[in-house]
Amino acid sequence: MRKSVAISAILYLSLGITSLTAAERKSLTIASEGASPPWNAIGSSGELTGFDIDVGKELCRRMSLDCEFVPQDWDGIIPALTVGKFDAIMSGMAITERRKKSIAFSQPYAGGFNQLVVRKDLNLPPTDTSQKLDLTEIDAGKKQTLDQLKAALSGKTFGVLRSSNSEVVLNALFGSVATVRGYDSQDNLHLDLSAERIDGGLADYFTWKTFLDSEDGDIAAFYGPQLSGGAWGPGVGVGTRLGDPDLVAAFDAAIAAARADGTLKRLSVQWFGIDVSPSSFR
């Protein structure tokens, strides 16, 4: 065990990475994608803005740390964290077992959910789009709801962001009855949906809402229940390097305090129009 610790220490030092205690740490660099409003975006002044950024600033204030927020493309955000390009990720990132093999997570600071969207001209049987369906455990009632969805969506073609958790869920739930088409960006998925080259898709609710509220999005609408859990994990958390327990503990304490005094709820209503704080998903 001592040998393993020593090797890890040498590796970290060779990469220029230092693990500081909470008392030693004075500043922090936090990365965010900047391309998923209202979670995060690049504002007119070129600065990162959005829910993730405001929550991050609030957590840093509570930890008495000076924090800098930097943009980072999504597909390289975890590798960049592990080699020490920055100290943490706050980018609407779901806590999943797969990601926990590479990085550590704080407790959730937001819940969030995903939902299907379909073209209105398909005239599918109506569903309750306000119903919440946690996929962590599938009981008889949830199975009945999913079976009804499978029957309605049979033979249709759905788009989804490639290599996303939504792609995993879409294939698992409907891949046996529908065609699943992967996209390199949500914008290209929107283009194919508007052009009626696909029948619908699965993605983050708030990403869809921005599109559906636009002129191009008028051809489609939400369909089926609000989906969470399962491959999406327990919620959205702060990502840190493995082996940095002091930083995780500091974030956990700050998140707990912000949740207890209603700050997370206030910021989520400010950016999303509804409460997506962890308490609302219990």
Side-chain angles (χ1 to χ4, degrees):
M1 179 63 73
R2 287 182 179 178
K3 185 176 181 181
S4 297
V5 171
I7 291 173
S8 296
I10 292 170
L11 175 62
Y12 268 55
L13 289 172
S14 68
L15 293 173
I17 301 171
T18 55
S19 180
L20 301 176
T21 66
E24 294 170 332
R25 198 183 299 271
K26 302 299 181 186
S27 63
L28 208 63
T29 304
I30 302 174
S32 194
E33 182 190 16
S36 298
W39 290 96
N40 53 77
I42 303 295
S44 57
S45 62
E47 298 292 319
L48 280 164
T49 183
F51 174 74
D52 291 319
I53 312 308
D54 277 1
V55 172
K57 290 177 179 177
E58 178 63 27
L59 299 182
C60 288
R61 183 188 68 79
R62 292 172 189 262
M63 295 186 293
S64 299
L65 292 175
D66 293 326
C67 291
E68 177 188 9
F69 293 85
V70 296
Q72 170 66 48
D73 290 344
W74 180 259
D75 58 0
I77 202 166
I78 288 180
L81 171 68
T82 60
V83 299
K85 188 174 179 180
F86 37 78
D87 303 302
I89 298 170
M90 293 189 71
S91 194
M93 181 173 281
I95 304 167
T96 68
E97 293 303 315
R98 178 171 57 87
R99 289 174 178 150
K100 286 165 71 174
K101 295 177 181 176
S102 302
I103 63 175
F105 279 101
S106 69
Q107 63 174 273
Y109 62 85
F113 54 90
N114 290 250
Q115 198 156 14
L116 288 162
V117 157
V118 299
R119 288 185 2 232
K120 295 176 181 176
D121 65 341
L122 298 178
N123 295 315
L124 297 181
T127 59
D128 180 3
T129 56
S130 65
Q131 179 185 1
K132 299 181 187 299
L133 199 67
D134 186 332
L135 300 175
T136 304
E137 294 183 7
I138 308 296
D139 58 20
K142 294 177 183 178
K143 185 177 184 306
Q144 182 179 18
T145 299
L146 293 172
D147 285 345
Q148 291 171 345
L149 276 176
K150 287 176 70 173
L153 303 178
S154 181
K156 305 296 185 295
T157 299
F158 287 88
V160 69
L161 194 61
R162 196 176 298 140
S163 300
S164 66
N165 294 317
S166 293
E167 184 180 38
V168 174
V169 173
L170 191 61
N171 276 307
L173 296 184
F174 309 114
S176 62
V177 299
T179 299
V180 176
R181 187 175 298 173
Y183 286 83
D184 61 348
S185 72
Q186 191 69 24
D187 286 342
N188 285 333
L189 194 164
H190 293 164
L191 288 173
D192 268 14
L193 181 58
S194 298
E196 302 184 2
R197 287 190 282 267
I198 56 176
D199 299 310
L202 178 65
D204 173 78
Y205 168 87
F206 300 102
T207 300
W208 276 133
K209 192 171 187 311
T210 301
F211 169 69
L212 295 179
D213 288 343
S214 70
E215 184 175 345
D216 290 340
D218 188 51
I219 67 160
F222 286 116
Y223 192 76
Q226 300 168 3
L227 303 173
S228 63
W232 289 299
V236 170
V238 182
T240 69
R241 279 185 292 276
L242 295 172
D244 206 351
D246 278 9
L247 184 56
V248 173
F251 270 117
D252 281 349
I255 290 169
R259 182 176 60 193
D261 69 9
T263 299
L264 290 182
K265 178 180 179 179
R266 175 178 59 77
L267 290 175
S268 68
V269 171
Q270 173 187 327
W271 282 101
F272 299 111
I274 63 172
D275 180 11
V276 299
S277 65
S279 301
S280 69
F281 284 83
R282 287 179 174 175

